[in-house]
Amino acid sequence: MAKKPLLIFPSPTTAEKSRKFGSSGNLFFPSKGRQIERHEDKITELERVLTNKSAALQQEAGNIIPEMILVLETVGEISDFFKAVRKTPGMKFLAEYESEIDPDEDFYILDDNGNKTDKSVDSRFYLTMTNQEALRELQKYWKEYKKDKQQQDFRRGTTNFRTLFEQLRDIRPYNIEDRVRDTGIQDYIDEIKAYDHDIVKFEIELAYREDQQQNENAYQEVVRLLHLNEGNEVAGSRVVISQIQYHAFIAEAPIQAFDNLTENTNISFLKSQQILFFRPVGQIIFETPAEELQLPTIEEPEDNQVNGQPIAALLDGLPLENHVLLQNRIQVDDPDEFGVNYLGSQRYHGTAMSSLILHGDLDDLNSVPLDRPLYVRPIMKLNSGFNPGESLPDDILPIDLVHRAIIRMKIGEGETPPTAPLVKIINFSIGDAFRPFHSNISSWAKLLDWLAGEYDLLFIVSAGNHADDITLEIPEAEFDNLSEDQVQKLALEEIVKTNYSRKILTPAESINALTVGASHYDSSKIANLYQRKNIINSSELLSPISRIGFGYKRSIKPEILMPGGRKLYRKAPIQNDANKTTLRIETTPFTANPPGSRSALPGAEGRVDATGYLCGTSNSAALTTRLAVQLYEVLLTLTNEEGRTVIDTGFFTVIIKSLLVHSASWGEKSSLLLDLIKNLPGTAANTSKKNILPYLGYGHVDPQRILYSTDKRVTLLGYGKLSSGGAHLYRFPLPPSLSTDKIEKRLTITLAYHSPLNFNTRKYRKAQLYFDNVTHNGHLDLSRSYYDFRTTQLGTTQHDILQGDKADVFIDNDYLEIKVNCREDASGLEKTFLVKYGLAVTLEVKEDVDITIYEEIKQRLQTRIRPTT
């Protein structure tokens, strides 16, 4: 099979944007009279509540800012409510969050016949910083709302308050429960208490203000309250990042301060109206082994030289720089001096990730080292405390650390020039185990999203690991007689049943990043399983430890699966339930023997040639970064007759993003999951393709499908910039040899982009780019056997696979039209703002079909050549 270069679409023509249609659903809201009955007393009492809250803190600390965070909970969304808040004197919009509630007598969803259903109802929480002036304005709005609609006189720009009152479910002050919900702080406190520690460090995120003096005043107020409760700020930890509306610092206090997380506590800083959230710090990422293992070794490569500058960076632990597989191949930049006391024998995670990026799985005989060096910025330290391992620091906020790392790379820091200005790919194999993603996007993900757009970067983020035991619904005696396929079915059933506890870890919900889950595969050979159990026997399926989506606003996360190694289990020696079988996961972070992805590791003291096996989504992200670098080199080879690179490197990031997804597919074994999901109680038959997406994303990646074309598989690349309301029309030449004969064919289309952001609305994504449904294209009779087409448009990568085997009739010079559209999603997308995108389209036939289509398509492309950029 001869390898052929990827081809490039001629320049697209401009076109009119295709219209999108949507439905807001049939929500039932209470009458005005009922709303007045429900909320009159609450709204009347707000001023008194503010006065009492401020007075209570004033007695302790003095100089307390007389304001509070007000929670406005609605059923359904209010478009651009933040604009009405801006028009209200004394009121500052802070955030919009999403949740779901059970229907009640006042709020519910109607079916098509107008009958009440028991479906969950979407709700919104709008947070506003509110002082007495703002509360008086709010009461004026309320007074207008109570009038007949014809007599209402809302000031221009504030009519959304009428909508607010129509949909209002609750109005109340922000409280301590809000500050700790879904933050992981309670689990963190419990963990530290278990080790009998008296002092706890934690993050305090403050309500962000555009006025920096107000930020300073709020910070000083919280610090005073901390001091009154024997707490302190950690020096130098405060950070304000205006671009993502983030203001936070690290504090420490006696752990008993968190004994009572209710409004009845006497710990005043917990009640501060300047605080949005309390969060853990110093999370362990990789637990170092308690005992030294005898690891296999590897010979030093004959040639360890690399060329060029790094185009990929690793933000991780400090690697073992003089390991035989890494020496001369990595550029370590450690301005924070994390390397001090970071013993070489404990540098596991950074060493393994560097090795996987540079060399791939060492047991893959077809893998060759990358030619370019890898830039490494350590963002983890060695924690030798109560829970030893490699961890995020507990005296620097990870958001601050990542922000400074990217700034230093791309534009320089102080008098230091950019340390890695050509970097386009960032490997981020780190997640916050205390913060599984459920619905509201984290500040960490916001940072990655903003950095991706601002500095033209592709963050490749691991989905996170769920390394727990698994219990199967079968008695032990019956389990011992099961076949591999039967065990696999039971394991998948348990994964589906426990999906809520397996959600991706922050910041994997980042919409501009590419999130990677683990497929259950590696290149090692297992001589003997002994008593171990391999509970998934297909490389096309997710690993049992890989976390699952959805992503933000039910977008597809993780988008792709890459090999993460085969994690094995052992039957628990004592079974506590006679009707079930518990399997214990192998808990060692790495082993000397397969299975797993084989990589460089620190060895016994002084050894620099050790290797070992490890499993998880970190491996998957690292192997994806490796593939991204390979794609970068492929794009550089696409030259014209003068030898100049055809594609502007400014488009490489979004093209690589599209190509990484382009080769993904579910594979035949996906039917096992589809069948399980179809049979779940309450699951509609037409939603199974949508409901499988959190588990498989777009599927497992086959790298060979995107690195080159063949005579029977042709990939064309497109790229460009679109503003809101614009569209580009691409024409894919149809090969004459496909006409009239019955031939199985497959068409794959992938679009990727980075969206600018609006942090004031839950819509968040300012731009939506999408391609039209091409099932009815007028030439090829194709059908969709993969994915849910609507769901594929919810993120920043859209991927579609269409197949057909009919005898299509078309004439020479006919073509398939693919339209890429751009529309405003969240408000604030300037008409002149241009959104860059990458497009990949592949047409293929089976290898045993006696036709070749590459040259036919190439010849027809040459009549319309894209100008060199």
Side-chain angles (χ1 to χ4, degrees):
M1 180 176 61
K3 296 180 180 180
K4 307 276 188 177
L6 306 182
L7 300 175
I8 301 174
F9 274 111
S11 295
T13 57
T14 57
E16 183 178 344
K17 177 179 72 69
S18 299
R19 199 173 166 195
K20 286 185 69 67
F21 298 91
S23 172
S24 58
N26 299 310
L27 279 172
F28 177 86
F29 300 113
S31 66
K32 178 187 286 188
R34 174 62 176 152
Q35 287 294 73
I36 293 171
E37 177 188 340
R38 295 174 72 246
H39 302 303
E40 176 75 26
D41 291 345
K42 294 179 186 177
I43 292 175
T44 303
E45 286 289 298
L46 284 175
E47 273 197 90
R48 184 185 62 80
V49 171
L50 171 59
T51 300
N52 291 346
K53 283 183 173 290
S54 299
L57 293 177
Q58 192 80 25
Q59 290 178 359
E60 289 195 53
N63 295 322
I64 295 297
I65 305 167
E67 58 188 4
M68 67 180 177
I69 300 175
L70 190 64
V71 180
L72 304 167
E73 182 188 355
T74 68
V75 169
E77 187 175 16
I78 304 174
S79 180
D80 291 345
F81 179 65
F82 68 93
K83 292 181 180 179
V85 172
R86 285 177 180 171
K87 294 284 186 179
T88 303
M91 189 175 285
K92 167 72 170 67
F93 187 87
L94 298 179
E96 176 186 346
Y97 299 117
E98 179 189 27
S99 186
E100 280 189 350
I101 59 170
D102 292 329
D104 57 24
E105 62 180 8
D106 293 313
F107 298 97
Y108 49 85
I109 295 175
L110 300 170
D111 63 20
D112 293 338
N113 296 318
N115 299 315
K116 180 181 178 181
T117 70
D118 59 358
K119 293 180 179 178
S120 296
V121 180
D122 285 340
S123 66
R124 299 288 186 277
F125 292 86
Y126 298 98
L127 306 189
T128 64
M129 185 62 80
T130 309
N131 60 20
Q132 287 180 328
E133 180 184 20
L135 290 178
R136 286 192 289 271
E137 289 294 317
L138 185 67
Q139 288 168 348
K140 289 179 185 178
Y141 298 150
W142 178 246
K143 186 177 179 181
E144 289 300 316
Y145 167 72
K146 290 191 293 183
K147 297 177 182 177
D148 290 339
K149 195 165 186 177
Q150 295 80 0
Q151 297 176 328
Q152 291 174 358
D153 186 21
F154 283 92
R155 191 172 64 252
R156 184 176 180 181
T158 65
T159 53
N160 257 344
F161 275 96
R162 177 173 59 207
T163 308
L164 172 85
F165 295 138
E166 290 170 347
Q167 300 177 205
L168 190 65
R169 183 170 184 263
D170 195 11
I171 181 168
R172 59 177 178 79
Y174 199 67
N175 58 35
I176 293 175
E177 183 181 346
D178 295 312
R179 296 183 186 102
V180 302
R181 183 182 294 114
D182 292 336
T183 64
I185 192 73
Q186 185 64 69
D187 291 340
Y188 173 66
I189 295 296
D190 293 344
E191 183 177 293
I192 292 178
K193 281 182 177 179
Y195 289 93
D196 294 325
H197 276 239
D198 297 325
I199 301 295
V200 59
K201 288 182 178 179
F202 51 95
E203 175 189 349
I204 293 178
E205 182 177 349
L206 303 172
Y208 173 80
R209 325 293 186 90
E210 294 174 2
D211 185 312
Q212 294 309 308
Q213 186 57 54
Q214 291 180 352
N215 281 329
E216 178 64 25
N217 294 343
Y219 170 70
Q220 293 298 338
E221 176 180 312
V222 174
V223 168
R224 289 199 305 275
L225 293 172
L226 272 168
H227 291 171
L228 287 171
N229 294 274
E230 301 180 43
N232 284 292
E233 69 279 26
V234 172
S237 67
R238 182 186 174 204
V239 58
V240 179
I241 304 176
S242 60
Q243 294 88 345
I244 63 168
Q245 301 178 7
Y246 177 74
H247 179 198
F249 67 99
I250 297 175
E252 58 183 7
I255 199 163
Q256 291 81 6
F258 290 88
D259 283 350
N260 182 1
L261 292 177
T262 73
E263 290 297 306
N264 296 323
T265 182
N266 60 1
I267 304 299
S268 53
F269 75 81
L270 294 176
K271 299 180 179 181
S272 171
Q273 289 297 306
Q274 307 304 322
I275 296 176
L276 278 179
F277 299 111
F278 298 104
R279 295 196 184 97
V281 294
Q283 297 92 321
I284 292 289
I285 303 301
F286 191 85
E287 294 183 12
T288 52
E291 299 179 1
E292 187 176 283
L293 294 178
Q294 294 299 314
L295 295 174
T297 60
I298 195 168
E299 292 184 6
E300 182 175 354
E302 294 181 5
D303 182 10
N304 244 344
Q305 297 304 309
V306 289
N307 301 296
Q309 295 187 51
I311 56 98
L314 172 66
L315 306 185
D316 208 277
L318 187 66
L320 188 63
E321 296 173 68
N322 62 339
H323 194 286
V324 296
L325 294 179
L326 304 184
Q327 59 186 354
N328 300 324
R329 291 186 173 275
I330 57 176
Q331 297 178 4
V332 176
D333 183 22
D334 184 20
D336 297 301
E337 298 184 343
F338 287 174
V340 177
N341 300 322
Y342 207 139
L343 300 177
S345 60
Q346 301 296 303
R347 299 180 184 183
Y348 290 102
H349 204 263
T351 299
M353 296 305 105
S354 298
S355 173
L356 288 170
I357 293 171
L358 290 166
H359 297 276
D361 187 337
L362 296 175
D363 279 347
D364 181 356
L365 301 181
N366 295 317
S367 187
V368 295
L370 297 180
D371 288 332
R372 287 180 184 267
L374 175 68
Y375 178 89
V376 182
R377 170 69 183 262
I379 63 169
M380 290 198 287
K381 301 171 74 172
L382 184 62
N383 177 7
S384 56
F386 65 89
N387 192 7
E390 294 178 279
S391 69
L392 295 167
D394 63 2
D395 56 354
I396 305 174
L397 287 167
I399 289 180
D400 181 31
L401 195 54
V402 172
H403 181 236
R404 289 191 291 106
I406 300 303
I407 296 296
R408 181 178 173 88
M409 271 192 277
K410 299 300 289 184
I411 63 176
E413 187 176 36
E415 297 183 0
T416 303
T419 53
L422 297 186
V423 160
K424 290 187 175 293
I425 313 297
I426 309 288
N427 188 99
F428 205 79
S429 293
I430 291 175
D432 186 345
F434 288 109
R435 296 189 64 197
F437 173 75
H438 292 298
S439 60
N440 297 309
I441 199 159
S442 65
S443 297
W444 207 351
K446 290 178 183 177
L447 177 71
L448 299 193
D449 284 334
W450 175 73
L451 290 171
E454 184 72 13
Y455 298 107
D456 189 29
L457 297 169
L458 175 57
F459 284 91
I460 294 175
V461 183
S462 58
N465 299 330
H466 181 80
D468 287 352
D469 299 341
I470 192 165
T471 299
L472 306 182
E473 299 286 339
I474 190 169
E476 180 183 7
E478 294 181 35
F479 172 80
D480 291 335
N481 296 318
L482 294 179
S483 68
E484 287 186 351
D485 286 345
Q486 290 171 320
V487 171
Q488 177 173 260
K489 183 176 184 293
L490 287 171
L492 291 174
E493 287 175 352
E494 183 64 19
I495 290 171
V496 171
K497 187 172 77 173
T498 58
N499 70 83
Y500 188 81
S501 65
R502 296 172 174 268
K503 299 301 183 184
I504 57 175
L505 299 180
T506 288
E509 76 272 20
S510 163
I511 68 166
N512 284 334
L514 189 69
T515 303
V516 187
S519 61
H520 195 63
Y521 179 74
D522 56 65
S523 298
S524 69
K525 307 297 182 187
I526 309 175
N528 196 323
L529 283 174
Y530 299 102
Q531 297 300 313
R532 300 176 297 175
K533 302 292 182 182
N534 183 22
I535 63 174
I536 300 291
N537 60 30
S538 170
S539 62
E540 297 174 350
L541 293 175
L542 77 164
S543 163
I545 66 172
S546 184
R547 287 185 173 265
I548 63 174
F550 285 106
Y552 187 58
K553 291 186 66 180
R554 302 188 70 77
S555 60
I556 296 172
K557 291 287 179 177
E559 286 96 341
I560 58 174
L561 303 180
M562 283 284 279
R566 289 167 288 174
K567 194 71 172 178
L568 302 182
Y569 294 73
R570 293 177 185 270
K571 197 168 61 172
I574 299 176
Q575 299 292 332
N576 296 320
D577 188 330
N579 296 315
K580 299 180 180 181
T581 302
T582 296
L583 302 178
R584 297 265 177 88
I585 192 170
E586 292 197 318
T587 56
T588 52
F590 64 89
T591 64
N593 300 304
S597 305
R598 187 182 175 198
S599 73
L601 286 175
E605 198 65 41
R607 294 216 64 124
V608 292
D609 57 357
T611 64
Y613 295 88
L614 64 163
C615 298
T617 59
S618 289
N619 302 5
S620 309
L623 292 173
T624 305
T625 298
R626 171 180 172 79
L627 180 56
V629 175
Q630 293 171 321
L631 288 169
Y632 183 95
E633 304 295 354
V634 167
L635 295 181
L636 285 179
T637 65
L638 302 180
T639 58
N640 59 16
E641 293 177 355
E642 290 79 36
R644 294 172 55 193
T645 301
V646 178
I647 302 175
D648 183 342
T649 56
F651 291 93
F652 275 23
T653 301
V654 287
I655 294 174
I656 290 170
K657 185 177 179 180
S658 70
L659 283 170
L660 288 170
V661 174
H662 192 61
S663 73
S665 63
W666 285 346
E668 293 181 4
K669 293 296 183 179
S670 64
S671 61
L672 299 174
L673 263 174
L674 275 170
D675 290 342
L676 284 176
I677 289 169
K678 281 179 183 177
N679 294 323
L680 289 176
T683 301
N686 62 352
T687 65
S688 56
K689 288 182 184 177
K690 177 180 178 180
N691 292 329
I692 196 178
L693 288 166
Y695 301 90
L696 300 181
Y698 289 121
H700 70 285
V701 169
D702 178 359
Q704 302 309 310
R705 293 177 54 81
I706 49 175
L707 293 171
Y708 56 86
S709 296
T710 69
D711 284 332
K712 302 175 191 297
R713 186 185 72 240
V714 188
T715 298
L716 271 63
L717 304 179
Y719 56 94
K721 300 178 183 178
L722 281 171
S723 59
S724 179
H728 282 163
L729 191 64
Y730 288 88
R731 292 174 172 173
F732 193 113
L734 294 174
S737 57
L738 276 187
S739 181
T740 67
D741 291 332
K742 264 188 101 171
I743 297 173
E744 287 190 39
K745 60 194 76 71
R746 175 159 130 161
L747 179 73
T748 305
I749 308 172
T750 312
L751 173 69
Y753 61 101
H754 288 345
S755 174
L757 313 161
N758 183 336
F759 298 103
N760 290 317
T761 170
R762 183 187 163 272
K763 282 188 175 180
Y764 185 58
R765 181 187 63 174
K766 282 187 181 180
Q768 182 192 16
L769 272 64
Y770 58 97
F771 57 80
D772 292 349
N773 191 340
V774 297
T775 49
H776 304 292
N777 57 75
H779 296 298
L780 301 182
D781 190 342
L782 302 170
S783 61
R784 181 175 295 106
S785 54
Y786 294 76
Y787 318 133
D788 175 80
F789 189 70
R790 283 181 176 270
T791 307
T792 65
Q793 301 174 53
L794 297 179
T796 59
T797 56
Q798 183 184 359
H799 183 56
D800 201 12
I801 299 176
L802 303 169
Q803 295 172 306
D805 60 0
K806 301 290 177 60
D808 300 304
V809 179
F810 53 86
I811 62 173
D812 198 3
N813 293 322
D814 273 348
Y815 47 79
L816 192 69
E817 288 190 338
I818 299 160
K819 187 194 285 187
V820 178
N821 307 272
C822 178
R823 64 178 285 269
E824 182 182 72
D825 189 9
S827 62
L829 181 61
E830 297 84 358
K831 289 290 186 182
T832 56
F833 188 91
L834 294 173
V835 182
K836 290 193 291 189
Y837 68 85
L839 176 71
V841 183
T842 295
L843 181 65
E844 62 189 300
V845 297
K846 288 190 171 182
E847 286 297 321
D848 58 1
V849 177
D850 190 24
I851 62 169
T852 60
I853 61 175
Y854 183 89
E855 290 300 327
E856 290 183 341
I857 292 173
K858 182 180 177 182
Q859 289 170 10
R860 283 152 184 79
L861 282 173
Q862 289 174 344
T863 62
R864 298 178 67 246
I865 299 296
R866 175 187 281 267
T868 303
T869 55

